[in-house]
Amino acid sequence: MFRILNLSFLISLTLTNGFMFNKPIFITGSTSKIGVHLINQLEARNVKTRCLVRNLTKAENIFGKLKYTEFVEGDVLDSDLFSKMQDCSSVIALHGINKFSSPIRLNFFDLHGKISDKNHPYYVNYISMKNIIYSCKKNNINRILRVTGLATGLPENTFWPVLLNLLFSNQVRWHVAGENEIVNSGLTYTILRPGAIRNNKNFDNYELKETVMDPPALISSRKIADIIIDAVFSEEDSTNPIKFENRIYACAGVGT
C-alpha cells in the first residue's frame, strides 16, 4: 500500500497544474524583485528551474550558489530562444520594462514600424511573448504563467491606462497585445495582473479577482511570488477553490 501511495504522490508532483517537476521550469525576469523571491521559494522546494538572464555575473552575485537553479545568458528576443528552452516543462514570464517617453514623441512616432530601440515595450512586452510562444510550441511546452499589471485589465481610455501609456511608451498597450497572444495561443495559461507594488508593506495574504479590480490594489513583490507558488502547486490541494488554468486574475495584497 505504501508503494502505491508513494507512486501516486510522485505522479501528482510530476503533473501538477502542467508544471512538470521532473523537468526545469523556464523563467524570465528572475533577477527582478519578484524573481528573487520566486527563485528562492522554488529552490527551497527542490524545484528545478532554468533562468534566462542578460548578465550571468549579476545573477550569480544576487543568488550565489544554488542547487536546483541553472542560469543561461540570453534575451527574450533571441532568435535561438527555443534552443535555450529545450527540455523545460513550462514557462514563468516575469520580464517587463518601464521606459519613460515624451508624450509628443509617443503620439506621433511610437508606431511599431518605426521603433528601433529593443528595450521598448513593443519588443519587451509584446514581441517577446510571440517569441516565447513560438519557442514553447517548438519544444512541446504547453504551460505558461505571465505577470503583467493591473492597468492591462482596465478599459483602454480610462485614467490609468492612458497615463501609463503616455509616461511609459505605451507600456500597457503592448502588455495587452502580449496577453492576447497568450490567450489565443492554444497553450494552457495563467495571467496575473498585480496592482501597485509597495515593497515596504508586509501583506498577510492576497486577494484575487477575475480579470480586473479597482486600483491601486497595493501588493508586494514577495506576495506576488507567493501567488505564483500557489499557482504552480495549486492542484496538490484538492480543496483549493482557486483555479489557475486558463484564468486571468487581478491581484492585491491584504493586511499590513
Side-chain angles (χ1 to χ4, degrees), residues 120-132:
H120 190 281
Y122 168 71
Y123 294 103
V124 180
N125 295 349
Y126 173 51
I127 296 299
S128 70
M129 295 317 304
K130 291 173 70 72
N131 198 18
I132 288 172

Side-chain angles (χ1 to χ4, degrees), residues 23-35:
K23 296 181 178 182
I25 299 174
F26 188 83
I27 300 178
T28 67
S30 60
T31 58
S32 66
K33 291 180 179 179
I34 300 170

Side-chain angles (χ1 to χ4, degrees), residues 2 7 25-27 73 84 94 110 136 141-142 154 156 158-159 168 193 209 212 237 241 243:
F2 173 78
L7 178 60
I25 299 174
F26 188 83
I27 300 178
E73 198 164 39
K84 296 180 173 70
L94 305 176
D110 193 11
C136 281
I141 297 170
N142 188 48
L154 298 173
E156 181 180 6
T158 56
F159 177 78
F168 297 108
R193 295 169 171 171
K209 287 188 178 180
V212 68
D237 181 4
K243 304 303 179 185

Side-chain angles (χ1 to χ4, degrees), residues 26 50 52 73-74 78 80-86 88:
F26 188 83
R50 183 181 300 159
L52 184 73
E73 198 164 39
D78 290 345
D80 66 341
L81 179 66
F82 67 90
S83 66
K84 296 180 173 70
M85 293 171 59
Q86 285 181 353
C88 288

Side-chain angles (χ1 to χ4, degrees), residues 236-256:
E236 285 191 357
D237 181 4
S238 60
T239 65
N240 188 351
I242 301 173
K243 304 303 179 185
F244 286 95
E245 289 193 3
N246 297 330
R247 301 296 175 93
I248 301 176
Y249 287 116
C251 320
V254 176
T256 55

Side-chain angles (χ1 to χ4, degrees), residues 8-29:
S8 176
F9 175 71
L10 289 174
I11 291 173
S12 71
L13 277 181
T14 302
L15 300 178
T16 293
N17 205 35
F19 291 90
M20 297 172 59
F21 299 147
N22 60 331
K23 296 181 178 182
I25 299 174
F26 188 83
I27 300 178
T28 67

Side-chain angles (χ1 to χ4, degrees), residues 36-255:
V36 170
H37 290 300
L38 177 64
I39 295 302
N40 287 332
Q41 290 197 52
L42 290 172
E43 182 78 12
R45 291 171 178 257
N46 302 342
V47 175
K48 292 185 288 187
T49 62
R50 183 181 300 159
C51 301
L52 184 73
V53 296
R54 287 184 172 183
N55 189 313
L56 284 175
T57 301
K58 176 183 176 181
E60 290 165 358
N61 288 339
I62 291 173
F63 291 100
K65 188 175 180 64
L66 299 175
K67 183 176 181 180
Y68 298 99
T69 304
E70 172 192 5
F71 294 103
V72 293
E73 198 164 39
D75 192 277
V76 287
L77 299 173
D78 290 345
S79 60
D80 66 341
L81 179 66
F82 67 90
S83 66
K84 296 180 173 70
M85 293 171 59
Q86 285 181 353
D87 300 318
C88 288
S89 65
S90 50
V91 173
I92 298 176
L94 305 176
H95 65 279
I97 189 76
N98 289 326
K99 181 178 177 59
F100 285 105
S101 64
S102 162
I104 296 177
R105 184 179 184 277
L106 179 69
N107 288 336
F108 291 98
F109 301 105
D110 193 11
L111 303 174
H112 64 82
K114 298 181 180 179
I115 297 171
S116 59
D117 182 2
K118 299 300 182 182
N119 288 318
H120 190 281
Y122 168 71
Y123 294 103
V124 180
N125 295 349
Y126 173 51
I127 296 299
S128 70
M129 295 317 304
K130 291 173 70 72
N131 198 18
I132 288 172
I133 290 166
Y134 167 81
S135 300
C136 281
K137 292 182 176 181
K138 198 171 180 71
N139 286 294
N140 295 316
I141 297 170
N142 188 48
R143 187 68 170 83
I144 183 168
L145 186 151
R146 176 65 166 140
V147 177
T148 58
L150 186 67
T152 309
L154 298 173
E156 181 180 6
N157 294 322
T158 56
F159 177 78
W160 286 110
V162 169
L163 178 64
L164 293 173
N165 278 332
L166 285 173
L167 292 178
F168 297 108
S169 304
N170 271 333
Q171 176 195 71
V172 177
R173 173 189 176 191
W174 295 121
H175 262 322
V176 171
E179 285 188 358
N180 288 339
E181 290 292 327
I182 295 169
V183 171
N184 295 322
S185 67
L187 303 178
T188 301
Y189 65 86
T190 302
I191 296 174
L192 300 178
R193 295 169 171 171
I197 295 178
R198 295 292 184 270
N199 288 320
N200 60 337
K201 293 181 177 290
N202 295 317
F203 297 97
D204 300 322
N205 210 328
Y206 62 79
E207 177 187 10
L208 301 180
K209 287 188 178 180
E210 292 220 29
T211 309
V212 68
M213 64 172 61
D214 293 335
L218 303 181
I219 193 169
S220 66
S221 298
R222 181 185 298 275
K223 197 51 61 178
I224 297 169
D226 289 346
I227 299 171
I228 296 170
I229 289 292
D230 285 351
V232 170
F233 292 92
S234 64
E235 289 190 358
E236 285 191 357
D237 181 4
S238 60
T239 65
N240 188 351
I242 301 173
K243 304 303 179 185
F244 286 95
E245 289 193 3
N246 297 330
R247 301 296 175 93
I248 301 176
Y249 287 116
C251 320
V254 176

